[in-house]
Amino acid sequence: MTREDMLARLIAQADTEGSDLVTLRAIVEESSEVGAARALARLGLGDESAQDDIDELRELLRAWRDAKASAWKAAVDWLVRGALALLLVGIAVRLGMPGLLK
C-alpha cells in the first residue's frame, strides 16, 4: 500500500467514523510524508543517490567558502603591502634620500 493509498483510507475513515485524535494525527503524518517525498522528487533528490548528491554539494560549498576566504585574505595582504610600500616611498622622499629621485 502506497502512502497516497494510506492517506486516502485515513481520510475516508475520518469521513465515515468521525475524526478522533489518532486518526487526525495519522492523516497529518501521512500527508507530511507524501508532501516531503513530492518536494524531494521535484528537487531531484528523491532517488537512491540523493545522499551522495547532497554530500557532493556540501563539499563544493565548503571549497567555495575556502576559496572565497583565501581570495579576501590575499586581497587584504596585497593592500597592506601596497600601503607599506607607499609609506616607505613617502618616508624616503621626506628624508630626501639621495639617488631616489634624479
Side-chain angles (χ1 to χ4, degrees), residues 38-93:
R38 282 183 189 164
L40 288 172
R42 286 181 184 161
L43 291 173
L45 298 172
D47 57 350
E48 297 294 324
S49 66
Q51 186 62 47
D52 294 336
D53 295 341
I54 294 289
D55 292 340
E56 187 175 345
L57 285 171
R58 284 184 178 153
E59 193 174 315
L60 285 170
L61 185 59
R62 189 176 310 118
W64 167 254
R65 287 178 178 158
D66 291 344
K68 190 168 64 169
S70 295
W72 275 108
K73 185 178 181 229
V76 168
D77 189 39
W78 278 102
L79 283 172
V80 169
R81 287 181 186 194
L84 289 174
L86 284 174
L87 181 66
L88 286 176
V89 168
I91 291 172
V93 168

